[in-house]
Amino acid sequence: RQTDRQTAVSTPVQWRRVGGAAATMAFVTANWNPLGEAFYRKVELYEMGWSLREGLRDCLIATAPYAGPIALLRPPQHRSPSARPQLEIYSSSGSSLASFPWKSGSVVTLGWTVTDDLLCVQEDGTVLLYDLFGGFKRHFSMGNEVLQNHVIEAKVFHSPYGTGVAIVTGASRFTLATNIDDLKLRRLPEVPGLQGAPLCWAVLTQDRQTKVLLATGRELYILDNTACTALTPPGLEPQSCSFVQMAVSFSYKHLALFTDTGLVWMGTASLKEKLGEVDTKVRPAPKQMVWCRRPKSRQPSVVLIWDRLLLVAGECNDTIQYHLDEDSVLVPELDGVRIISSTRHELLQEVPVACEEIFKIASMAPGALLLEAHKEYEKESQKADEYLREIKEQSLLGEAVRQCVEAAGYEQEPETQKTLLRAASFGKCFLSNFPPDLFVSVCRDLRVLNAVRDYTVGLPLTHTQYKQLTVQVLIDRLVYRRLYPLAIEICRYLKIPEYQGVSRVLKHWACHKVQQKEEPDDVIARAVNQKLGEAVGISYSEIAARAYDCGRTELAIKLLEFEPRSGEQVPLLLKMKRSHLALSKAIESGDTDLVYTVVSYLKNEMNRGDFFMTLRNQPVALSLYRQFCKHQEQDTLKDLFNQDDDHQELGNFYVRASYREGKLEARLSALQSAVDEYNKAKNEFAAKATEEHMRLLRFQRRQEEESGQSMMDLSLQDTLHSLLLQGRGRQAEQLYKEFRIPDKRYWWQKLSALSEKEDWEELEKFSKSKKSPIGYLPFVEVCVKHHNKYEAKKYVSKVTPEQKVKAHLAVGDVEGAAEAAIERRSEGELSLVLSHCSPTTDRGLVERLNRARTAASKK
């Protein structure tokens, strides 16, 4: 095993970064150390760009996973009472992102959310959130109990629900918040015998439930929502030692415990299975202990750190020791552990199987042989053919290509990546049906990863982390760091759909741009429009809303001019109290629902007079509001007409209102008001019609009182018909004369009523009273309609010659009809009679009709 110092001498950083492929390959395994059946390697990611004179000693530090940012709370440099701690935020390469004096309360711990927001947990239980650039976002409290019993320790953790916070107070009580975005505090049960903070504790997430595991000396407890349960790790004798440190794996599936005897116990987080234990020979408690695992790990391990010692303890009971020159911090990751000191940032991980098989000394794996074959090919040596033949004889060329491609994804150095990919490309030339997807995908991924690993970006993601994180989250993180050009280039390179990629990045850029208060509104609005143009899926209203939230109302209005959808413009204009502009935009859109929305808002915000005056200047809005009032607010409609002196509409309003009145007096009063308004509007017809309606109502009321029969709201014709049916001829006559009903209409109504009553005697008297203005054919038809041909025949003789044929046919007198038709010599009537003739009809009559029709047609 080699120390850091030896490794640094044997593999200078500049060699690996600058040297050619041969130099790179020669030193790939120089920093490998065996651990059981696997190897571990420690790779330098960056030389840190920060300047920390005092190093990391006495600093409160928090580093986000997935190559996230680093937060430092440094103690005051001067011991004066006015001196303040300094909160600093850096990228993973040590580039400063934010720095400001800490002016709030005493901080217990720092942590990062899943969206890279900084959490600062104070002693008084207040949790403050800051963005990546030190901008304050919000705060919340961990409960009232904390005000009396301060927070002693706190942990920030990530669960399936989001980012959580767990605290232990001076009263030795634990409080959990599993999701700070949906804050629900849970106070866990008491722990028997616990005074102050436990020796060590950790948060577990099992079966979608968050629990706390803690140690009080030799006792181990697990706290859930309802109970405190004592546990004993399998393979450890009870009461044999005290637990002084514990660590939960990145996936919350595994647990490690460090005892005061220097023993590391490793097992499942459920404490049902033991995976191994290692005697470190070091009794003091480590400063940190974290898991170092990777998906499909062959030799998981636990990494422990003391002041000048880093120890990797595997489940196989082997260890690796690294001597440290300075204070360092461990950051657990999905596939390894990051080690951060004041000068370097390194990655410690188990060497992936593909890399081990290719680079291991004397390896005969297909990938190793293919790499050698490619080296010899570049030297123009015939040995290249020998290596290729050896691989092809075993039918492993496809496996060799796959190993080289996979290993390239796991490597940090671009030169090593290129060497492996060239070897894979060389091997592919001898395969006819090797699918290109894996090769193309890894090349694309590495190009993205190398771009974000750059020192100026500071996101040293591994390929495994990148795949777990997804491209969309990576783009989000670049946007959050305001690295918009790089985010756009990656979106274009990966051909991400525009609305998910470039457009989304541009929208975030625009939202950031409108917050730059040093530039005037016109310049920003023009710059945003030029940059965004007709980009797909971008809503200017969202950008305008951000400008308004920043206090730049005029800029927001200018940006809304570029928004093509009125439905997006109007709500924000209303929010900005620009109601007149909102109304104009709503009317321009032609969307009646939108207009109603604005009008409703104006009604609630303005006094009645100003509201009506505003509507008068907008005829479309006024018309729509009137339609609304007709159905919902009748009184408001009346006020509108009064204010506009619209007497015609006021008259119509009173007429409609009269029908809602239950009492006749109220109806007549409303109708009289309508008459007055119609007179003012000089609408004589409407005024006269309304007056006649009032007279009809009074007449109907009198008839109801006399007969007890309901007649209100009947029309004039229905009233007349009802009187005739009731046999009240005198009253019907009175109505006929009083309302000047035309003679024809009166005769029709009386004829209809008498036939319905089947009062044939009265009908005959009526027919003889005077000459009928409607003729006598209707008499024949109504009698036939009521199945009384006998009565009908009485009126046939009175029918005019033109209607004789129809009358005879109506009563079934075909011969009479034939005589009338022959007498009139009408071809049409003759044809009509012939159509009513049946086979039983007299042949002589039919012949007469045919001769008459022939004669008529010759004329």
Side-chain angles (χ1 to χ4, degrees):
R1 301 185 179 94
Q2 299 169 326
T3 65
D4 272 353
R5 195 168 311 207
Q6 291 170 329
T7 303
V9 170
S10 60
T11 58
V13 173
Q14 61 268 29
W15 286 13
R16 291 187 282 120
R17 294 202 174 200
V18 181
T24 302
M25 300 306 298
F27 293 98
V28 166
T29 61
N31 59 354
W32 287 17
N33 291 284
L35 187 69
E37 297 179 354
F39 289 87
Y40 272 69
R41 65 182 177 186
K42 188 149 69 80
V43 181
E44 182 172 321
L45 301 175
Y46 302 110
E47 291 180 2
M48 298 302 283
W50 57 26
S51 178
L52 303 178
R53 295 179 182 177
E54 303 295 329
L56 299 178
R57 185 179 296 276
D58 300 326
C59 288
L60 202 57
I61 184 168
T63 305
Y66 292 102
I70 305 167
L72 293 175
L73 187 64
R74 301 172 65 181
Q77 295 183 352
H78 307 288
R79 295 187 177 181
S80 63
S82 60
R84 297 279 186 178
Q86 191 77 6
L87 183 60
E88 300 172 351
I89 301 175
Y90 297 92
S91 70
S92 291
S93 60
S95 298
S96 179
L97 299 175
S99 178
F100 57 93
W102 183 256
K103 297 181 180 180
S104 191
S106 175
V107 178
V108 175
T109 193
L110 301 174
W112 292 93
T113 69
V114 291
T115 54
D116 282 355
D117 286 330
L118 180 62
L119 285 171
C120 304
V121 185
Q122 295 189 155
E123 196 177 54
D124 61 359
T126 303
V127 182
L128 297 95
L129 266 78
Y130 293 86
D131 65 22
L132 197 60
F133 297 95
F136 177 74
K137 297 184 76 172
R138 64 186 178 93
H139 73 278
F140 61 89
S141 173
M142 291 298 291
N144 295 327
E145 180 207 354
V146 187
L147 297 175
Q148 299 174 349
N149 303 293
H150 290 314
V151 177
I152 301 176
E153 289 184 15
K155 293 185 186 295
V156 178
F157 61 93
H158 300 158
S159 72
Y161 304 102
T163 303
V165 177
I167 62 167
V168 57
T169 66
S172 304
R173 296 298 298 271
F174 286 86
T175 301
L176 276 179
T178 53
N179 183 7
I180 61 170
D181 295 321
D182 182 18
L183 193 64
K184 294 177 182 177
L185 299 177
R186 288 194 292 125
R187 195 179 183 198
L188 300 184
E190 288 189 53
V191 181
L194 179 62
Q195 298 292 328
L199 286 175
C200 57
W201 60 288
V203 180
L204 300 176
T205 299
Q206 298 175 349
D207 302 325
R208 299 185 65 83
Q209 187 178 9
T210 305
K211 305 176 182 179
V212 170
L213 181 71
L214 62 108
T216 58
R218 298 178 179 181
E219 301 291 339
L220 202 61
Y221 296 97
I222 190 160
L223 293 175
D224 58 19
N225 293 342
T226 58
C228 174
T229 309
L231 297 172
T232 301
L236 275 180
E237 295 182 9
Q239 311 297 323
S240 62
C241 53
S242 295
F243 303 104
V244 295
Q245 187 64 279
M246 64 174 62
V248 181
S249 67
F250 196 83
S251 63
Y252 291 97
K253 293 180 179 178
H254 300 89
L255 175 70
L257 301 170
F258 186 85
T259 69
D260 56 359
T261 60
L263 187 71
V264 177
W265 179 92
M266 287 171 273
T268 59
S270 61
L271 291 171
K272 293 180 179 178
E273 182 184 351
K274 176 183 175 181
L275 301 177
E277 63 179 52
V278 179
D279 187 359
T280 63
K281 305 292 192 296
V282 183
R283 288 183 173 269
K287 290 166 52 180
Q288 266 186 286
M289 181 171 72
V290 298
W291 277 89
C292 183
R293 298 179 63 93
R294 64 178 304 110
K296 300 180 182 179
S297 181
R298 293 190 301 162
Q299 188 54 246
S301 63
V302 174
V303 182
L304 304 95
I305 190 170
W306 287 268
D307 285 338
R308 291 293 180 267
L309 175 65
L310 182 75
L311 186 141
V312 183
E315 294 177 1
C316 59
N317 298 333
D318 285 348
T319 61
I320 305 172
Q321 292 188 10
Y322 296 93
H323 294 287
L324 305 174
D325 296 330
E326 52 193 341
D327 292 319
S328 301
V329 175
L330 303 179
V331 184
E333 290 283 5
L334 174 68
D335 57 346
V337 175
R338 286 192 286 144
I339 306 166
I340 300 173
S341 68
S342 59
T343 58
R344 288 194 300 274
H345 190 163
E346 299 169 301
L347 175 66
L348 174 68
Q349 64 174 179
E350 180 186 334
V351 177
V353 175
C355 298
E356 182 183 330
E357 289 183 343
I358 291 175
F359 296 120
K360 189 168 61 175
I361 296 173
S363 173
M364 296 298 291
L369 293 176
L370 180 59
L371 185 61
E372 287 299 319
H374 181 253
K375 282 184 181 180
E376 296 300 329
Y377 171 77
E378 288 185 327
K379 295 177 186 177
E380 300 183 356
S381 169
Q382 64 181 11
K383 290 183 180 180
D385 184 59
E386 295 175 8
Y387 285 125
L388 275 174
R389 286 179 182 276
E390 184 174 349
I391 301 171
K392 294 176 77 173
E393 285 173 1
Q394 303 175 49
S395 301
L396 293 174
L397 187 54
E399 176 65 16
V401 173
R402 186 196 61 76
Q403 282 184 353
C404 288
V405 173
E406 186 179 345
Y410 292 129
E411 291 298 323
Q412 294 281 327
E413 292 297 334
E415 287 302 324
T416 310
Q417 297 166 5
K418 291 177 185 177
T419 302
L420 289 166
L421 290 172
R422 287 191 188 110
S425 181
F426 175 67
K428 278 174 54 187
C429 295
F430 301 94
L431 292 169
S432 59
N433 58 352
F434 186 82
D437 299 351
L438 177 64
F439 184 85
V440 173
S441 173
V442 170
C443 288
R444 187 184 292 120
D445 292 345
L446 286 177
R447 185 167 182 183
V448 172
L449 287 171
N450 289 336
V452 299
R453 287 170 182 167
D454 187 82
Y455 183 91
T456 57
V457 179
L459 280 172
L461 286 169
T462 64
H463 189 261
T464 305
Q465 293 168 15
Y466 171 66
K467 286 300 184 183
Q468 179 72 17
L469 201 63
T470 72
V471 176
Q472 288 296 341
V473 177
L474 176 60
I475 298 298
D476 288 341
R477 295 201 169 191
L478 292 174
V479 167
Y480 194 41
R481 286 163 171 75
R482 300 172 187 168
L483 300 170
Y484 305 110
L486 178 58
I488 289 173
E489 286 302 314
I490 290 175
C491 290
R492 287 174 176 162
Y493 174 67
L494 296 178
K495 297 180 180 178
I496 297 173
E498 195 167 350
Y499 68 94
Q500 293 178 339
V502 175
S503 293
R504 192 161 60 94
V505 176
L506 287 173
K507 185 187 78 172
H508 284 285
W509 167 81
C511 289
H512 171 66
K513 183 75 174 175
V514 298
Q515 298 177 54
Q516 297 176 358
K517 298 185 177 180
E518 62 275 7
E519 293 190 41
D521 295 343
D522 291 339
V523 174
I524 292 179
R526 189 163 51 251
V528 169
N529 186 42
Q530 289 174 353
K531 182 72 74 173
L532 270 56
E534 299 296 327
V536 177
I538 293 183
S539 171
Y540 279 93
S541 63
E542 294 181 29
I543 303 167
R546 181 63 63 88
Y548 176 68
D549 292 339
C550 297
R552 306 188 70 170
T553 305
E554 293 304 319
L555 174 58
I557 293 173
K558 291 179 185 298
L559 290 170
L560 279 178
E561 292 297 325
F562 303 123
E563 175 59 60
R565 294 167 296 179
S566 299
E568 298 290 333
Q569 290 177 315
V570 170
L572 185 58
L573 287 170
L574 292 177
K575 184 180 178 183
M576 294 189 295
K577 308 295 183 185
R578 300 302 175 100
S579 50
H580 289 82
L581 183 56
L583 184 58
S584 299
K585 293 290 184 183
I587 293 170
E588 287 174 14
S589 73
D591 186 343
T592 55
D593 289 340
L594 205 57
V595 177
Y596 278 131
T597 300
V598 179
V599 170
S600 177
Y601 174 86
L602 292 174
K603 180 186 173 186
N604 295 329
E605 292 294 317
M606 293 180 165
N607 62 55
R608 204 174 185 84
D610 292 342
F611 173 62
F612 288 160
M613 287 301 296
T614 301
L615 291 185
R616 287 184 69 180
N617 296 327
Q618 298 286 357
V620 175
L622 179 59
S623 175
L624 288 171
Y625 186 62
R626 284 178 175 176
Q627 290 294 328
F628 169 78
C629 291
K630 281 181 182 179
H631 300 286
Q632 303 291 335
E633 299 178 3
Q634 298 289 333
D635 292 338
T636 305
L637 189 63
K638 178 183 172 183
D639 294 341
L640 272 172
F641 295 146
N642 271 323
Q643 183 162 358
D644 293 343
D645 292 330
D646 192 340
H647 299 294
Q648 176 64 37
E649 287 297 336
L650 269 174
N652 296 341
F653 170 80
Y654 284 121
V655 169
R656 286 191 294 269
S658 70
Y659 285 98
R660 294 192 297 272
E661 299 293 345
K663 295 182 179 181
L664 180 62
E665 292 74 14
R667 290 186 66 177
L668 293 173
S669 175
L671 288 171
Q672 184 58 53
S673 299
V675 171
D676 296 340
E677 295 299 333
Y678 286 139
N679 286 328
K680 291 178 183 177
K682 297 181 180 179
N683 188 339
E684 295 179 2
F685 171 78
K688 187 174 181 180
T690 307
E691 287 175 345
E692 289 185 351
H693 184 51
M694 294 168 63
R695 284 167 48 211
L696 179 61
L697 287 174
R698 294 190 184 100
F699 180 85
Q700 288 171 339
R701 169 56 61 86
R702 289 197 303 272
Q703 300 311 312
E704 280 189 358
E705 292 173 352
E706 291 177 7
S707 65
Q709 297 288 333
S710 176
M711 298 185 71
M712 293 298 292
D713 289 326
L714 293 178
S715 67
L716 179 62
Q717 307 305 318
D718 290 343
T719 305
L720 177 61
H721 191 75
S722 178
L723 289 171
L724 292 169
L725 281 175
Q726 294 173 26
R728 304 176 69 196
R730 185 174 56 81
Q731 289 82 357
E733 191 78 19
Q734 179 186 349
L735 184 68
Y736 158 61
K737 293 177 179 178
E738 186 175 339
F739 286 91
R740 297 181 181 178
I741 298 175
D743 288 346
K744 287 186 177 182
R745 190 174 301 170
Y746 175 71
W747 273 68
W748 266 111
Q749 289 292 338
K750 190 163 185 177
L751 173 61
S752 176
L754 292 173
S755 62
E756 282 184 38
K757 291 170 58 180
E758 297 186 356
D759 191 349
W760 309 117
E761 183 179 349
E762 186 63 32
L763 181 63
E764 188 175 357
K765 289 180 182 178
F766 176 56
S767 69
K768 295 176 179 178
S769 61
K770 66 177 182 177
K771 186 178 179 181
S772 170
I774 59 174
Y776 291 94
L777 181 61
F779 286 78
V780 176
E781 291 174 342
V782 295
C783 291
V784 172
K785 181 180 177 182
H786 290 85
H787 313 292
N788 194 338
K789 290 185 179 180
Y790 174 77
E791 289 293 331
K793 290 177 180 178
K794 293 180 180 179
Y795 304 104
V796 172
S797 60
K798 296 182 180 182
V799 174
T800 60
E802 294 83 4
Q803 297 177 329
K804 282 269 187 184
V805 173
K806 289 184 180 179
H808 282 291
L809 289 175
V811 297
D813 182 8
V814 178
E815 291 184 6
E819 292 296 336
I822 291 169
E823 185 178 343
R824 282 181 48 76
R825 299 177 183 178
S826 169
E827 185 179 358
E829 290 179 350
L830 289 166
S831 298
L832 178 63
V833 175
L834 278 169
S835 67
H836 282 76
C837 291
S838 64
T840 59
T841 309
D842 183 19
R843 283 186 182 180
L845 180 62
V846 173
E847 290 175 359
R848 284 179 63 203
L849 286 168
N850 283 323
R851 283 197 302 272
R853 185 170 65 172
T854 304
S857 63
K858 290 180 180 179
K859 288 184 179 181

